[in-house]
Amino acid sequence: MHVAETVAREAGELIRTGREGEVSVAATKSSAQDVVTAMDLASEALLRRRLAELRPGDGVLGEEDALTQSSSGTWWVVDPIDGTVNYLYGLPAYAVSVAAVTSPAGTDPDPATWTVLAGCVVAPQDGRTYVAGLGQGATLDGQALQVNQAQPLIDCLVGTGFGYVAARRRSQARVLAELLPQVRDIRRIGSAALDLCALASGGLDLYYERGLQPWDLAAGSLIAQEAGAVVTGLRGQPAGEAMTVAGPPARVHDLVAYLEASGADQDS
Ligand code: IPD
């Protein structure tokens, strides 16, 4: 936990101070709207350099660079800026996400099979630091976290997010349009890591999203779980790119049932 927090804080400080200057777009990814800023690249470079110093032999899976292999059996899964579009627009909901994971022997880190050992999400704009260790609970700035008690679906504030490709968005919009009348309201915060931390700290009652990448969910999923949430996929699958659903155990199945019935894990 200590290493995750140390490097996440350092990267957070880099991107917070970097936001005071001009934010330049360095590249695009899945669509022209899916941007990478120069600070995404600088933050990941810092994370990789510091992890190599502090944990030589561990591998790194990051959003902006190639997988580096592990000789120790531990990987660091890092998102140098989660919420890049918020960062670009000067909105505060962006974060650095760092997690330590182990994988079954001979396999690369994959949310379907990994075990997340520790995670830290830093929101540098307001300094909030979320930390969790497997079996050790989750904290926000040192205070223990606990998800909200299960409410009827109609009383739930539900977080979600959208991909950057039009075909996926069309299907996400269809699923959302049917869900909206069944819940209290919807939030689209713009950072999956912060969505999962909001769930852990009572700022959301439920969360779901299709399309999350390993770095979007590694640290946040442990923080949510250690705060008492179930984090799962649909149709008995673990959380991952097809679908991630999170919430208190007594309510998450209602959302899972709706998402399965509406085919939310497919693009139509
Ligand atoms: C994005 C954010 C967003 C989610 C997108 C992600 P990025 O990550 O987590 O909330 O809806 O699916 O790609 O690109 O800002 O690191």
Side-chain angles (χ1 to χ4, degrees):
M1 283 199 292
H2 179 66
V3 171
E5 186 172 346
T6 299
V7 300
R9 280 180 182 277
E10 290 177 11
E13 190 55 16
L14 176 79
I15 62 176
R16 188 187 65 76
T17 52
R19 187 66 191 75
E20 290 160 9
E22 191 184 325
V23 179
S24 60
V25 174
T28 59
K29 292 190 285 189
S30 60
S31 76
Q33 289 70 44
D34 185 6
V35 298
V36 180
T37 71
M39 270 298 153
D40 287 87
L41 304 178
S43 175
E44 183 151 332
L46 180 150
L47 290 167
R48 285 174 180 268
R49 179 173 52 76
R50 291 290 287 135
L51 288 167
E53 287 167 7
L54 296 169
R55 297 286 304 220
D58 291 356
V60 180
L61 173 62
E63 180 167 19
E64 314 299 350
D65 209 340
L67 177 79
T68 55
Q69 278 303 339
S70 170
S71 56
S72 65
T74 299
W75 277 264
W76 296 88
V77 183
V78 302
D79 193 335
I81 304 181
D82 186 53
T84 300
V85 172
N86 286 340
Y87 186 74
L88 186 66
Y89 278 75
L91 297 171
Y94 64 86
V96 177
S97 174
V98 177
V101 309
T102 56
S103 280
T107 67
D108 290 340
D110 180 332
T113 53
W114 71 25
T115 302
V116 186
L117 303 175
C120 178
V121 174
V122 169
Q125 199 68 38
D126 62 10
R128 288 185 188 205
T129 303
Y130 301 83
V131 176
L134 184 60
Q136 297 173 57
T139 58
L140 164 57
D141 298 334
Q143 300 294 310
L145 294 178
Q146 181 65 46
V147 293
N148 290 340
Q149 283 190 344
Q151 310 289 331
L153 197 54
I154 190 65
D155 291 326
C156 285
L157 186 61
V158 181
T160 192
F162 312 113
Y164 293 105
V165 175
R168 171 149 304 168
R169 288 190 159 189
R170 223 167 268 125
S171 124
Q172 288 174 319
R174 176 185 58 78
V175 171
L176 182 64
E178 288 172 38
L179 181 63
L180 187 53
Q182 303 180 51
V183 299
R184 181 189 294 272
D185 208 346
I186 293 288
R187 291 290 178 272
R188 197 293 192 242
I189 291 172
S191 159
L194 290 178
D195 283 317
L196 287 160
C197 290
L199 181 86
S201 55
L204 292 172
D205 296 305
L206 289 165
Y207 167 71
Y208 77 97
E209 183 161 353
R210 171 159 166 77
L212 293 188
Q213 299 301 306
W215 40 83
D216 295 320
L217 71 101
S221 64
L222 182 67
I223 292 164
Q225 264 165 24
E226 289 292 327
V230 168
V231 182
T232 183
L234 301 187
R235 306 177 212 290
Q237 299 299 308
E241 185 171 3
M243 183 58 69
T244 297
V245 192
R251 189 54 58 221
V252 80
H253 57 81
D254 291 349
L255 184 54
V256 165
Y258 165 72
L259 294 169
E260 286 179 350
S262 64
D265 48 353
Q266 282 134 38
D267 300 329
S268 52

